[in-house]
Amino acid sequence: MKLFITILLVLVGFTVNAQVPDTCFTSKQVLDISYTLDSIFYIDSINTKLINEQRSIITDYKQLIKLDSLESQYKDKKIELLQSNINLYVEREKLLKPKWYQHRIIAFGGGMTTVLITSKLINSIIK
């Protein structure tokens, strides 16, 4: 019985497959659809590649933006440090600038006055 059912199913399967398929497209239309699908798949693969390239370019630009912001921060810090360095130089110059009583002219005048007074004292003592 099983063998009979198996043979019957096999024969029915062959007869169903032997029937001419009923399609509403001509062979030319099927070829056109096939070419169209192929071109659409090709365009889709190109678009996928372009999207991936754009994503990589976007990540590169994001990284570049981060690097630019870091560079900008470092430049700002450098400007701040240089400005503090200038302020330190100005303070040092103020500290190292001779006071009014440390000028050479005053020292020269004081020295000459001392010599003159000393020489007059010696002259007055000798006389």
Side-chain angles (χ1 to χ4, degrees), residues 13-79:
F14 282 134
T15 58
V16 170
N17 285 337
Q19 292 177 359
V20 175
D22 185 26
T23 62
C24 57
F25 297 114
T26 64
S27 61
K28 184 179 183 309
Q29 290 174 335
V30 170
L31 283 175
D32 288 341
I33 291 172
S34 174
Y35 291 141
T36 304
L37 285 176
D38 287 342
S39 67
I40 289 173
F41 284 132
Y42 178 72
I43 290 171
D44 182 54
S45 69
I46 290 175
N47 286 337
T48 304
K49 288 178 183 177
L50 286 173
I51 289 171
N52 290 334
E53 287 178 13
Q54 288 296 322
R55 284 183 182 154
S56 69
I57 288 172
I58 288 171
T59 55
D60 289 343
Y61 278 130
K62 285 181 180 179
Q63 187 70 20
L64 184 64
I65 289 170
K66 287 179 184 178
L67 290 175
D68 284 345
S69 66
L70 280 175
E71 184 179 1
S72 174
Q73 289 174 357
Y74 285 135
K75 291 286 184 183
D76 291 342
K77 186 66 175 176
K78 183 179 178 182
I79 289 170

